[in-house]
Amino acid sequence: MHVHGSSVSAPQRDAVLEGLDVLAARMPDLEAWPDLPLAIHWILDDTQWEGHDPAVDVGYLLRDEREATCIRALVARLRALRMERGVATESAYYTDPGWPLIRALAHDCRTVLLTPSDLDAAVLWILGQSAEEPVRVDLVGTREAWVNDFTYSYDAGTAAARITTYPDPATRHPSQRFWTHEVRRIRNAETGLTLLERPGADASDGMDR
């Protein structure tokens, strides 16, 4: 089972993930394949999300409504950019003022589509993209972490929630213990999307306001 629902095996899913990799890239490579136009084509056209709600594909191409929510937000931004720019050079897209948000949304979509089934592993995957060697994060007290260019906010069941972190992933020596089961919800602060939510999480589990 996926952390948000059951597995799916639609052949387009791999192409969608490859397209998301291109859109979420920290440093765009204009010489790489697939290129940006093909990545956008895979996400908007081959899936037909240009013309219908991604929720229609839950159970086939997408696993659940959380995946559909992330994809829906990304598709809306991509459609608007393509309508505004038309057939433009890749550099015109990458330098558009709205591109950083598109990149962040693509990152969120990729994260949610690849999140592992185990909820505790999912926390580490979202924060560090690796359950084995999470990057250094510190969530104690601030309930916000900056990881791989993105800021995440989180809700915890107690004020003492902690994650195992590594000062240097190569050493594999934990610097602090983090009880992942205390984390109720993780959000990307830039996009506002919820990337993980444990069953039973509600407003009472929220951050200090």
Side-chain angles (χ1 to χ4, degrees), residues 32-113:
W33 188 94
D35 59 13
L36 180 61
L38 183 56
I40 294 174
H41 175 76
W42 282 343
I43 292 171
L44 288 185
D45 303 315
D46 281 0
T47 60
Q48 300 183 45
W49 289 333
E50 171 78 29
H52 73 241
D53 192 316
V56 172
D57 291 320
V58 170
Y60 168 65
L61 178 54
L62 301 174
R63 288 181 277 204
D64 53 36
E65 182 57 37
R66 195 177 306 281
E67 290 190 354
T69 296
C70 286
I71 290 291
R72 185 183 300 116
L74 174 63
V75 164
R77 292 285 177 171
L78 283 177
R79 288 179 60 190
L81 182 60
R82 189 154 75 172
M83 289 178 64
E84 178 183 347
R85 293 285 184 174
V87 179
T89 63
E90 291 181 70
S91 59
Y93 277 83
Y94 285 131
T95 57
D96 187 273
W99 189 259
L101 180 56
I102 288 176
R103 178 190 167 233
L105 289 167
H107 173 273
D108 283 359
C109 290
R110 181 185 181 279
T111 297
V112 171
L113 266 63

Side-chain angles (χ1 to χ4, degrees), residues 1 3 15 19 36-37 43 48 69-70 72 80 89 104 107 124 132 143 148 156-157 161 174 182 184 192 196:
M1 291 289 286
V3 67
L36 180 61
I43 292 171
Q48 300 183 45
T69 296
C70 286
R72 185 183 300 116
T89 63
H107 173 273
L124 293 176
E132 290 75 34
R143 299 200 181 184
N148 294 340
E182 293 288 354
R184 304 301 183 201
L196 178 141

Side-chain angles (χ1 to χ4, degrees), residues 1 4-5 14 17-18 22 35 40 54 61 67 77-78 83 89 109 119 127 140 146 148 158 172 176 180 188-189 200:
M1 291 289 286
H4 302 135
D14 286 344
L17 285 167
E18 284 193 66
V22 174
D35 59 13
I40 294 174
L61 178 54
E67 290 190 354
R77 292 285 177 171
L78 283 177
M83 289 178 64
T89 63
C109 290
L119 282 164
L127 292 174
V140 178
W146 185 81
N148 294 340
T158 73
R172 299 188 63 81
Q176 123 186 144
T180 54
N188 183 322

